[in-house]
């Protein structure tokens, strides 16, 4: 491509309304332009990247045996009523009527459409397993679109859906998709982690998110310093460390007037929060008589309750609901001064986090107004119903797989694989004849990649103060050639043209910067747009038989021979 | 691709609701399935064709220097209000409100969005000419979607838009696009004609449609038997043939009671319709005093009025409006019995079609109830204001370029290139700085290809009673390999696998039909889906060292050596 015939829509200034770096750089590099809130036009510089990402995704999905389909963006609402999502999905689902007053939605996802297709086309277990994918524009009516294409209203997804006779077959395809996603994100040049995700009601190892690690991410990912272990912080197990030491102190009551928070009490008593326990009183599940018990949760003062873990406990109501002031008063307890002493005797269920369960000589509320207890010890001073994993992991915790310790980084979710089970196939009555001749409800998986989001996340992970630093596989151009003083040096132009032709013939995506601009302008544009290799040609180099080469990550340019140059490019 | 892992969704029966052959065959070959009226899911067999068509279109657009972009499907209504099309477009434009109650449309086309982009991004004449394209899903809320993907509500378009400083530059890009379209449709293997189209108010040679010739087409195309000349029938010039012979008969009045039509009169007078003239009285353009003159049009009895041509005449009101009964009565004329005699004298404007102007001794109305005149001759018996091309061409007319005669065939419009001029750039105030430093309104062109429609039209042109006959460049697979008695002959399976691997390595798109089906089922599926080459392997052939080969168009299969086979495929 000749730069003079390309749209170089670069901007020197950072646009005001762009909060995150990828949004700023995609605007500045002339990749996208905003049409309306959450709607972006992809300019030629952006489309080149988009096409490369799509090609990698398509190649790997084909290699994995998934079959490409293409479903309509507009979908009849009736299918969403069948699945129950017409109501559930909320206002992000854009609904409209056509000219005949029929109800439609703009597809944010295609479970209903593909299940409708499957129930019509799949007749026999012999056709399974089968896996369909598409690469397509989706629409989600975000209440507050932001961060450019990271959270836009229109976006491109690769979505895939697989159909199976049983869970074992689903697990097999799921594993293939897991490996395929790893290959895709590796080829895209991203630092990513497959992360165990919450599966809601499905359970098991049924869901992984793929996160690109970047400080601007919206999710906290816990991962091991020494193994592949990674999980959303909400999902990561906090394992038990150490054993409880023997009691060395007597229980003592101390006045702590108005010291209601763990931080206040610890400061007041000149100790650390990790030597204290904090109490949270929540609603239990109703018993047979319909009585709702109160459950007391105890965590170490420096730890945070993980609500998802708590909700999974059989005795705790879900969603998690705190005890009312009335319930607390009826138990003769005082908010801010609750300790574990005597609670079992009052009829409460007492659940203690693993880390809190190995404390000794700790601080707790005294169950009296304006008083705490010090030197509290389990068993001697207070008993509990159960020890349970109730908290969020923190950095330095041991990794649950026994290898290394936990680190926490922020991640951007770019992919999600999910064992759907029979949620949609049951709702839409999608059955095939089994090997025994009887109809069976198929089991489904789904697998998504946010194609446009991948591009933004690649930038969040790869940039410097000059602009984008593209992973080589998705750069808009592989190489830029800049002839110096082109208007005065026909010889330089000729050499640049020859190199341009040669490198294109060798299969590279080459930009010949033949614009009538100063070298400084060209160099900043090429750095801003993140082109991996820059080759400058000038009279001096031609005399010496060298080319001036600079990799996007290099601090300085170097003068090298053609052989050395070709070797650099081939690396 | 192994057929056992592919979705072969072929149907034996022709679906009831499919009227045209392409719709029937796309359903039967398992290429598409209907989701709702005018909305189709493309199955794996269809997507393979779609991807090949898109790749050819993309390659040729890139080669022509057009830059790929990707615009949102949803567009703010405000842009359509700026261009005036929000009202003009009618109910085919799907309008909706987002969750914040803002007005949007689902894009049927993108002139507004690209012009908005251009007015923001293009600053200088130095950036022009520039040409942008995209390949994208469009939505048009057809009142009666039909013919499958031929007239669907969602469809894929390649749409391109070019920007210029002047008409000469537009003409240059227009010519490049004309050539590019010819290359694209040639590579797609289609029998097509570029056809001059009506340009409405733009005029000049500013619009061509590209038609695939097929009997199911909705348009009549006139083209020369001996040259490249082609035009929509409405656009084709009817040239003057022959000279007027001298009068040989006297004018005679004859009673023709109740014989009002040309056919009736000719039968009654035992002559042919081509020896008579028929009259049409229409409204003229108001004169300076606001008076609306009546214009009498005369055509040969066997010819049809071309309203588009008539409307272009300066004296005739547009849209074409017939004279009222009151106007006719006021002129003392009788509908059904109007002749040219004495009309100029009554103050009418008399315009005579070229073919009617060279008649002599002809039949015409007598301008008296129930009477016609025979032996009428121009000048002697009647005069006219002007001779003008007023009629549709018919087969056998000379081609307007002087080479050959006109043939008329039906065509399917698959492409359209159009010189937009300044319609959108003026409405949206899209200006750049000109070479003189002054702002100038840019001149635009637009260029569309109906990608999904191209596929249907390829089938309309290439099928037999067994199914589709794909042009080689867009077949879902190039070659099918069928091992016979695979379950009993490991040797055949081995040979088939080896050939499969070899042909794939040679770059062919190969289908190995390893399904557990009878040969008859496989053969009909392969013929129905139109795969160009079929290779059958069996014990006998392996013994003889031959392969059974059949081209999709061949009547019989032949046994040939491997060298001959490879040569056949490479043809």
């Amino acid at each position: 491509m000749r730069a003079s015939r390309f749209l170089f829509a670069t901007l020197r200034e950072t646009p005001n309304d762009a909060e995150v770096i990828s949004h700023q750089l995609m605007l500045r590099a002339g990749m996208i332009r905003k049409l309306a809130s959450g709607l972006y036009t992809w300019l030629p510089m952006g489309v080149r990247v988009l096409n490369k990402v799509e090609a990698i995704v398509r190649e790997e999905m084909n290699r994995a045996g998934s079959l490409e389909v293409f479903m309509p963006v507009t979908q009849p609402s009736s299918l969403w009523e069948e699945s129950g999502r017409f109501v559930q999905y909320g206002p992000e689902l854009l609904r409209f009527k056509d000219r005949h007053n029929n109800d439609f939605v703009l597809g944010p996802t295609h479970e209903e459409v593909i299940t409708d297709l499957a129930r019509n086309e799949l007749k026999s277990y012999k056709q399974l397993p089968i896996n369909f994918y598409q690469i397509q524009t989706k629409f989600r009516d975000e209440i507050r679109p932001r961060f450019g294409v990271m959270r836009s209203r229109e976006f491109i997804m690769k979505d895939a859906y697989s159909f199976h006779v049983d869970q074992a077959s689903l697990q097999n395809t799921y594993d293939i998709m897991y490996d395929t996603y790893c290959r895709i994100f590796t080829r895209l040049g991203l630092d990513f982690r497959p992360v165990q995700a919450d599966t809601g009601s499905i359970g098991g190892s049924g869901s992984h998110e793929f996160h690109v690690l970047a400080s601007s991410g919206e999710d906290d990912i816990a991962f091991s310093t020494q193994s592949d272990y990674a999980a959303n912080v909400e999902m990561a197990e906090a394992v038990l460390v150490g054993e409880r030491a023997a009691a060395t102190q007597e229980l003592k009551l101390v006045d702590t007037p108005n010291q209601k928070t763990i931080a206040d009490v610890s400061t007041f008593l000149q100790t650390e929060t990790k030597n204290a326990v904090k109490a949270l009183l929540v609603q239990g599940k109703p018993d047979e008589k319909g009585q709702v018990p109160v459950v007391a949760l105890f965590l170490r003062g420096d730890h945070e309750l993980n609500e998802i873990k708590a909700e999974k406990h059989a005795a705790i109501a879900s969603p998690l609901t705190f005890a009312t002031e009335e319930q607390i008063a009826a138990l003769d307890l005082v908010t801010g001064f609750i300790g574990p002493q005597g609670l079992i005797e009052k009829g409460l269920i007492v659940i203690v986090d693993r880390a809190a369960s190995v404390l000794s000589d700790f601080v707790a509320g005294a169950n009296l107004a304006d008083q705490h207890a010090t030197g509290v010890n389990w068993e001697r001073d207070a008993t509990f119903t159960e020890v349970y994993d109730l908290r969020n992991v923190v950095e330095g915790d041991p990794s649950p797989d026994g290898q290394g310790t936990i680190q926490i980084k922020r991640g951007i979710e770019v992919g999600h694989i999910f064992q759907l089970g029979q949620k949609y196939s049951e709702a839409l009555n999608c059955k095939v004849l089994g090997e025994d001749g009887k109809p069976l409800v198929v089991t489904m998986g789904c697998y998504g990649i946010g194609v446009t989001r991948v591009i933004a996340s690649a930038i969040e992970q790869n940039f410097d103060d000059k602009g984008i630093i593209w992973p080589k596989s998705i750069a808009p151009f592989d190489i830029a050639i800049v002839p110096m003083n082109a208007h005065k040096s026909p010889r330089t132009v000729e050499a640049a043209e020859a190199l341009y032709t040669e490198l294109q013939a060798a299969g590279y995506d080459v930009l010949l910067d033949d614009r009538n601009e100063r070298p400084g302008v060209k160099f900043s544009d090429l750095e801003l747009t993140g082109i991996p290799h820059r080759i400058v040609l000038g009279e001096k180099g031609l005399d010496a038989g060298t080319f001036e080469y600079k990799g996007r990550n290099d601090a300085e340019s170097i003068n090298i021979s053609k052989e050395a140059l070709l070797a650099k490019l081939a690396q």
Side-chain angles (χ1 to χ4, degrees), chain A:
Chain A
M1 176 67 65
R2 288 169 196 279
S4 61
R5 302 198 188 154
F6 192 67
L7 183 70
F8 251 93
T10 50
L11 308 174
R12 292 284 161 266
E13 304 292 322
T14 299
N16 283 331
D17 59 342
E19 298 165 57
V20 295
I21 196 77
S22 59
H23 188 193
Q24 292 168 5
L25 288 175
M26 288 180 82
L27 290 167
R28 287 191 52 209
M31 292 178 65
I32 56 168
R33 285 295 182 266
K34 180 171 160 179
L35 173 64
S37 173
L39 299 175
Y40 290 87
T41 291
W42 287 73
L43 301 186
M45 187 71 81
V47 168
R48 294 183 75 88
V49 178
L50 199 50
N51 285 348
K52 288 187 185 187
V53 173
E54 286 190 12
I56 289 173
V57 170
R58 182 172 276 120
E59 258 180 55
E60 293 297 337
M61 290 302 293
N62 289 346
R63 185 205 303 263
S66 189
L67 299 173
E68 188 171 359
V69 297
F70 194 66
M71 295 179 262
V73 179
T74 47
Q75 308 177 6
S77 298
S78 55
L79 283 179
W80 287 70
E81 277 155 10
E82 271 192 80
S83 74
R85 289 209 295 179
F86 192 69
V87 172
Q88 279 166 30
Y89 210 94
E92 285 183 9
L93 182 65
L94 197 134
R95 300 133 207 257
F96 63 89
K97 286 178 186 293
D98 72 2
R99 68 192 288 172
H100 299 302
N101 221 28
N102 293 319
D103 288 304
F104 284 86
V105 304
L106 272 192
T109 172
H110 279 70
E111 280 83 359
E112 283 82 0
V113 175
I114 197 78
T115 308
D116 176 59
L117 183 79
R119 70 179 165 186
N120 293 326
E121 299 304 321
L122 303 178
K123 320 281 185 208
S124 159
Y125 72 96
K126 292 178 194 166
Q127 292 171 280
L128 305 187
I130 199 161
N131 186 359
F132 300 110
Y133 80 96
Q134 62 175 352
I135 298 176
Q136 195 203 32
T137 299
K138 308 281 183 194
F139 191 93
R140 196 155 54 196
D141 202 359
E142 294 279 352
I143 189 159
R144 195 165 79 87
R146 61 191 183 279
F147 306 153
V149 299
M150 195 85 91
R151 192 168 292 278
S152 54
R153 296 203 285 180
E154 267 190 46
F155 53 98
I156 298 176
M157 278 276 289
K158 187 283 298 169
D159 48 330
Y161 308 89
S162 67
F163 297 85
H164 308 273
V165 290
D166 55 24
Q167 171 65 26
S169 166
L170 167 58
Q171 186 67 46
N172 185 44
T173 295
Y174 184 88
D175 293 344
I176 291 169
M177 282 296 102
Y178 181 100
D179 292 343
T180 298
Y181 274 40
C182 289
R183 260 203 310 275
I184 289 171
F185 295 120
T186 302
R187 283 187 64 186
L188 294 174
L190 300 173
D191 181 12
F192 70 99
R193 291 286 186 289
V195 166
Q196 283 175 24
D198 184 29
T199 52
S201 59
I202 311 267
S205 64
S207 174
H208 283 86
E209 293 169 1
F210 288 76
H211 282 261
V212 166
L213 301 182
S215 56
S216 59
E218 294 186 90
D219 293 289
D220 281 321
I221 311 301
F223 61 98
S224 164
T225 49
Q226 283 175 35
S227 74
D228 282 345
Y229 177 84
N232 251 316
V233 160
E234 300 83 52
M235 280 290 293
E237 185 186 355
V239 295
L240 180 64
V241 190
E243 289 180 14
R244 193 190 305 153
T248 64
Q249 300 176 10
E250 294 299 303
L251 179 94
K252 241 194 279 182
L253 296 195
V254 290
D255 285 339
T256 50
N258 292 319
Q259 308 297 321
K260 291 190 183 181
T261 72
I262 282 291
D264 290 347
V265 171
S266 303
T267 309
F268 187 80
L269 298 178
Q270 294 183 306
T271 181
E272 290 181 77
T273 53
K274 69 177 182 184
N275 297 323
V277 297
K278 60 181 172 191
L280 293 127
L281 298 197
V282 300
Q283 309 284 353
K285 290 231 173 79
D287 62 19
E288 307 90 62
K289 293 174 205 149
Q291 296 287 328
V292 177
V294 172
V295 182
L297 309 176
F298 285 96
L299 291 102
R300 229 169 66 181
D302 57 333
H303 285 156
E304 269 179 21
L305 176 70
N306 180 312
E307 298 197 8
I308 292 171
K309 289 179 180 176
E311 283 171 358
K312 283 190 180 155
H313 193 286
I316 299 174
S318 173
L320 196 76
T321 314
F322 287 97
T324 61
E325 285 299 322
E326 291 73 33
Q327 285 175 308
I328 294 170
L331 290 164
D332 212 9
L333 296 172
V334 189
T335 303
F337 301 91
I338 297 172
Q341 309 91 293
L343 295 189
I344 293 274
E345 292 75 9
K346 285 177 191 269
L348 278 78
I349 297 167
V350 177
I351 303 177
V352 180
D353 178 61
R354 289 169 175 170
S357 76
V358 293
L359 289 179
S360 50
D361 300 334
F362 59 86
V363 173
N367 294 332
L368 296 166
D370 291 336
Q371 290 210 312
H372 276 78
T374 64
V376 185
N377 281 279
W378 294 114
E379 289 172 26
R380 187 190 71 185
D381 307 319
T383 54
F384 44 71
T385 316
E386 190 183 347
V387 174
Y388 194 76
D389 177 16
L390 280 178
R391 69 177 173 94
N392 284 332
V393 291
V394 293
E395 291 213 333
D397 277 342
S399 175
D401 67 352
Q403 300 176 56
T405 55
I406 291 288
Q407 275 198 315
I408 295 176
K409 287 203 181 174
R410 297 190 79 78
I412 301 166
E413 187 190 332
V414 290
H416 195 168
I417 59 177
F418 202 92
Q419 300 191 9
L420 286 171
Q422 301 184 321
K423 176 175 155 82
Y424 293 94
S425 47
E426 260 175 8
L428 276 80
N429 196 29
C430 178
K431 292 179 181 169
V432 297
L433 285 185
E435 205 164 350
D436 59 2
K438 290 180 189 156
L440 62 87
V441 175
V442 301
T443 296
M444 290 172 60
C446 72
Y447 318 94
I449 290 179
V451 172
T452 37
R453 184 177 248 226
V454 154
I455 296 171
S457 66
I459 297 174
E460 290 291 338
Q461 205 171 62
N462 300 282
F463 67 92
D464 63 13
D465 56 351
K466 292 175 186 143
I468 302 168
I469 304 173
W470 284 114
K472 287 184 179 141
S473 59
I474 59 173
F477 299 98
D478 300 322
I479 302 166
I481 298 174
V482 185
M484 297 292 278
N485 293 312
H487 57 293
K488 291 196 292 198
S489 172
R491 203 181 145 207
T492 307
V493 171
E494 202 178 301
E497 291 281 347
L499 187 64
Y500 176 54
T501 307
E502 182 180 344
L503 293 178
Q504 281 187 315
Y508 293 107
D509 223 340
V510 191
L511 180 78
L512 176 64
D513 199 344
D514 60 346
R515 290 178 295 164
N516 187 19
E517 294 282 2
R518 286 177 296 112
V521 169
K522 293 185 184 186
F523 294 167
S524 358
D525 275 354
L526 298 176
E527 283 173 329
L528 176 56
T529 56
I531 300 172
H533 306 284
R534 187 186 82 192
I535 307 168
V536 179
L537 283 84
E539 291 271 348
K540 268 194 193 164
L542 290 176
D543 288 339
T546 59
F547 298 85
E548 186 190 313
Y549 169 85
K550 185 172 174 301
R552 177 62 181 83
N553 260 328
D554 301 341
E556 300 289 337
S557 62
I558 51 173
N559 292 311
I560 53 176
S561 70
K562 182 139 172 211
E563 291 65 40
L565 174 68
L566 295 178
K568 274 263 180 213
L569 299 177
Q571 260 168 23

